[in-house]
Amino acid sequence: MELVRTADELAVRTAAARGRGEVVGLVPTMGALHDGHASLIATACAQCGFVVVSIFVNPLQFGPNEDFAHYPRRLEADLERAGEAGADLVFAPGVEELYPEPVHVTVHVGEPADILEGALRPGHFDGVATVLTRLFNLVGPARAYFGEKDYQQLVIVRDLVRELRLPAEIVNCPTLREADGLARSSRNAYLAPTERAVAPVLHRALVAGASAIAQGERDAAAVRRAMRAVAEAEQGVRVDYLEVADPERLRTLARVDGPVRLLGALRIGAVRLIDNLAAAPGVNP
Ligand code: AMP
């Protein structure tokens, strides 16, 4: 497994892979790799002859009061992790490599980038779309792999690829969880032991919502209340949102008439966690 820092070196490697007839796959990450990332890389390796993992903490997708400066950066461990999972190449550019000054062009995303995560993190999805457009252009993947853990991001990435006609297929991968239900996340490292003990409440709240729907609840407000009751029963948890949305466009629903997506974000101390779950009438979570 090779580490590459520049777009020029990357272009040589991907051109050689394509020349050998290999399908190029891309797994975009911000590093601090965990089992969730490893599962994306393993899926990519099963489907592509040459798998690029990008590691880039993208300043454009962090708000001014967010954790950009403190986001965990541990390239050495990440290289080992990516190699073990089967990656062929890690692309870890510096900020100036992806955003040579001056930056004149960014991508703006409309609906649904303005709701849920986007309402609380203005400009976040513009930052995500901008970095992905640049990464897709540099890597030229035939397939790119994204986790359902970031469900709103997945919806927006599909819009981006379809509307800008980026020639890549988007593959979504299921959320990897700890045994107690907590979704794996690089930000879990921020949790103090007492906070870590509380953190699975987000998944429990979503499961409570999905169970209510499975048992016949059709009123989305009642489902929201059921999720909130679980989350707010824990000390020190602040709910940002717990929503019932349509799985395609993420519009908030009043009634549950078919498959829906339950999406949640909450804060435990200074740590913000997000998660989501599919739910449908008659389907137990
Ligand atoms: P990040 O490094 O947090 O930007 O995540 C990079 C990619 O890994 C994104 O497509 C995420 O959705 C995905 N990912 C993060 N956590 C998980 C998880 N627990 N299970 C599956 N995919 C994940």
Side-chain angles (χ1 to χ4, degrees):
M1 215 238 1
E2 198 180 5
L3 167 66
V4 155
R5 294 282 199 178
T6 69
D8 288 344
E9 291 170 283
L10 174 70
V12 171
R13 307 302 191 282
T14 52
R18 274 187 282 271
R20 296 192 295 272
E22 287 168 351
V23 170
V24 175
L26 170 64
V27 183
T29 81
M30 297 203 301
L33 300 184
H34 51 67
D35 287 356
H37 298 116
S39 76
L40 265 59
I41 298 169
T43 303
C45 291
Q47 300 181 357
C48 306
F50 191 78
V51 171
V52 176
V53 175
S54 63
I55 295 181
F56 182 66
V57 184
N58 174 32
L60 260 57
Q61 72 189 68
F62 287 78
N65 299 317
E66 294 182 1
D67 55 346
F68 175 71
H70 305 288
Y71 197 84
R73 290 164 173 86
R74 38 179 113 104
L75 186 61
E76 280 308 311
D78 285 351
L79 293 177
E80 206 172 309
R81 202 75 206 263
E84 279 166 14
D88 296 284
L89 185 148
V90 165
F91 177 49
V95 172
E96 62 297 335
E97 189 69 15
L98 271 199
Y99 300 119
E101 292 281 351
V103 171
H104 294 125
V105 179
T106 59
V107 179
H108 174 64
V109 186
E111 189 207 2
D114 49 347
I115 56 170
L116 301 168
E117 282 304 284
L120 290 146
R121 307 183 67 188
H124 169 70
F125 289 116
D126 288 357
V128 170
T130 298
V131 78
L132 288 177
T133 304
R134 291 179 183 224
L135 283 170
F136 276 51
N137 278 329
L138 295 179
V139 177
R143 298 201 180 107
Y145 295 79
F146 291 86
E148 288 179 6
K149 157 79 169 43
D150 300 283
Y151 191 83
Q152 191 175 4
Q153 171 172 281
L154 188 57
V155 169
I156 287 166
V157 169
R158 289 190 178 281
D159 286 349
L160 175 76
V161 164
R162 188 180 58 250
E163 294 185 26
L164 298 191
R165 300 193 186 228
L166 303 179
E169 181 195 338
I170 302 304
V171 181
N172 45 313
C173 304
T175 302
L176 232 84
R177 302 179 179 282
E178 305 282 357
D180 59 12
L182 176 65
R184 306 245 173 173
S185 165
S186 306
R187 289 191 169 99
N188 292 351
Y190 298 152
L191 293 164
T194 50
E195 296 170 336
R196 172 63 187 81
V198 171
V201 73
L202 176 52
H203 181 241
R204 280 210 312 279
L206 296 170
V207 169
S211 299
I213 290 170
Q215 286 155 24
E217 183 59 73
R218 295 289 174 273
D219 177 10
V223 176
R224 271 182 224 113
R225 279 197 300 275
M227 294 193 287
R228 247 179 203 274
V230 172
E232 289 173 349
E234 289 281 357
Q235 286 277 316
V237 170
R238 280 167 303 163
V239 176
D240 274 350
Y241 59 82
L242 281 162
E243 264 305 344
V244 184
D246 88 87
E248 270 84 43
R249 299 311 310 160
L250 299 182
R251 291 188 186 117
T252 300
L253 297 172
R255 299 271 315 157
V256 178
D257 294 319
V260 300
R261 203 81 192 183
L262 306 178
L263 302 107
L266 48 81
R267 282 174 290 157
I268 302 173
V271 188
R272 193 162 179 281
L273 301 174
I274 66 168
D275 200 353
N276 65 89
L277 200 61
V283 181
N284 279 309

